Amino acid sequence: MFEKNVYLERRKKLRDLVKNGVLIFVGNTELPMNYPQNIYHFRQDSSFLYFFGIDEPGLAAIIDLDTGKEIIFGNDVEIEDVIWTGPLPLLSDKAEKFGVSSTEVFANFETYVCNARKENKTIHFLPPYNPNTKIFLTDLLGIPVNKLKENASMELMLAVIQVRSIKSVAEVAEIENGIDTAYEMFTKGMQLVKPNRYEYEVSGAMEGIALAKNGALSFPTILSVRGEILHGHAHGNLMNDGDMLVMDAGFETPNRYATDHTRSVPVSGIFTQKQKEIYQIVLDSQMLAIEAIKPGVKYQDVHLLSCKVIAEGLKKLGLMKGDVDEAVKQGAHALFFPHGLGHMMGLDVHDMEDIGQIYVGYDDEVRPIDQFGTAYLRLGRRLQAGFVLTVEPGIYFIPELYNLWKTENKFTEFIDYGKVSEYLGFGGIRIEDDVLVTETGHQVLGKAIPKTIAEIEALMGGGR
Ligand code: GLY
Ligand code: MN
């Protein structure tokens, strides 16, 4: 948690951006796994956390723009709870730490909102994603569950995105501290990668490091020798000599900020020639993309630059052919790189994706490109100092996509399907770092996790 003033300042920015009405924020609740008392790991709603700080379930808050009131609603524990929970600080004491001087019991939240509605005040809420919050808002506002999203306040959504998009020095420091742990997760994880071990031996050890640092994972780890499966969350494969392993993981700091890195390593500890060649193309693409990052540049253009580096590299290897610019323009590279270059990162690993990716990543000037591959780019708009984003290009050999495109004779002027067939079974390679946009350019955040071929082979013991 930050100093009280940080939260006061954040709420002031919001008040300056939304004209009138009542802003409501519903915190997250505990969710049962298999019976009510046996719960999933609790994660507070990020916007609640950002503006009101308290990292506990069962809370809601309002900012009344017409009266200037800020209130956090929640219940203090009673004696029957105390025997299970131990004594807990009063809500009023907790709220005070975040600069909110007014607290009320939770039931009064409903009364407050109902009265405001009776007075025809606008109730501004963010689109809910948590099922409990959806049910709660439906009961409170009389809006059917499937209409909540379209009734969410665009004014509030855009204001929250504007405020949360620019990371403060303290937030960046928090992410960089988190990367110290990510460094440990990755370096220890890489050293555990060996033939005849299971993926879960590595992913489990990495998660253990996150937990042992009083944090959590910022998203379920993707760690697989089937790296061509972009978001495969199973870790049950035995790792074999000759496999490439994609390791995509993040630490969630004790203050709930995310880190997000990907490293791809040869299970044997030494890259084969083929693996080296593909790896180096992805690395070049990532480094050149990072170099291009500065305020005012469209991230969509940085994405397209990284696609070109990949297409050029694959052309040199004989997997692609023809005019590289035209191949990327038409989307032929997406056989190998079918996702976006990166996304905003902050309290959420895909920052504010709950509010709406289209508003986080795009604006009136920069619209999404509706083409397979680039359509998945989550951030396209012009970069501003203070954005924290990921840079994560990749090359994958996806047999199903290959078979489909080959059967359709798709882009035969740009793709040598015969040559590509020699790579089926290769898996995938992705390399990802977290980058701050600075006033003059960019800064790759945190301690550098080994990423060149030489660094990775040295860390992994070069196969010994
Ligand atoms: N690191 C997972 C993702 O960016 O989707
Ligand atoms: Mn990512």
Side-chain angles (χ1 to χ4, degrees), residues 219 222 231 248-249 260 262 343 349-350 378 390 392 432:
F219 61 95
I222 299 160
H231 276 180
D248 183 349
D260 185 7
T262 308
H343 50 84
V349 65
H350 291 176
R378 291 186 159 91
T390 67
E392 50 180 310
E432 175 177 24

Side-chain angles (χ1 to χ4, degrees), residues 13-195:
K13 280 187 191 156
L14 208 50
R15 283 204 307 269
D16 289 345
L17 286 168
V18 188
K19 284 188 287 299
N20 51 39
V22 180
L23 313 184
I24 66 171
F25 295 86
V26 183
N28 275 340
T29 51
E30 285 173 331
L31 287 166
M33 284 195 293
N34 51 348
Y35 56 91
Q37 299 299 322
N38 206 24
I39 49 169
Y40 286 107
H41 159 75
F42 171 72
R43 177 55 161 80
Q44 183 57 290
D45 173 76
S46 295
S47 289
F48 191 91
L49 207 48
Y50 186 88
F51 292 106
F52 295 94
I54 307 179
D55 190 3
E56 287 175 24
L59 302 171
I62 59 110
I63 300 176
D64 190 326
L65 299 170
D66 305 335
T67 64
K69 274 189 196 159
E70 295 180 342
I71 309 171
I72 297 181
F73 299 85
N75 297 331
D76 284 317
V77 287
E78 296 181 357
I79 187 65
E80 280 150 58
D81 303 312
V82 168
I83 59 166
W84 300 100
T85 61
L88 294 174
L90 294 172
L91 177 61
S92 53
D93 294 339
K94 290 182 275 196
E96 186 55 39
K97 293 200 176 105
F98 302 100
V100 177
S101 51
S102 189
T103 56
E104 294 190 26
V105 294
F106 194 85
N108 288 357
F109 177 66
E110 232 163 308
T111 314
Y112 198 102
V113 175
C114 288
N115 287 340
R117 288 178 73 207
K118 277 188 208 137
E119 291 167 32
N120 280 327
K121 290 188 180 189
T122 308
I123 307 295
H124 299 271
F125 63 92
L126 295 172
Y129 54 90
N130 177 307
N132 283 349
T133 308
K134 288 186 184 182
I135 296 165
F136 177 73
L137 284 178
T138 287
D139 283 350
L140 181 67
L141 304 173
I143 300 170
V145 168
N146 62 0
K147 300 268 186 248
L148 284 166
K149 198 171 166 190
E150 65 197 63
N151 280 283
S153 163
M154 187 57 70
E155 213 183 338
L156 178 60
M157 288 157 65
L158 295 177
V160 169
I161 289 169
Q162 188 175 328
V163 178
R164 282 181 56 189
S165 290
I166 308 295
K167 272 61 182 183
S168 68
V169 172
E171 286 179 290
V172 171
E174 173 74 13
I175 293 171
E176 291 213 278
N177 281 339
I179 296 176
D180 282 349
T181 299
Y183 177 91
E184 204 178 310
M185 288 163 67
F186 273 89
T187 50
K188 297 229 166 104
M190 284 183 206
Q191 286 170 318
L192 285 173
V193 176
K194 300 265 184 294

Side-chain angles (χ1 to χ4, degrees), residues 285 288-290 292 300-310 328:
S285 166
L288 283 166
I290 291 172
Q300 195 171 61
D301 289 340
V302 183
H303 167 86
L304 293 172
L305 169 74
S306 82
C307 297
K308 277 183 198 161
V309 178
I310 282 174
V328 169

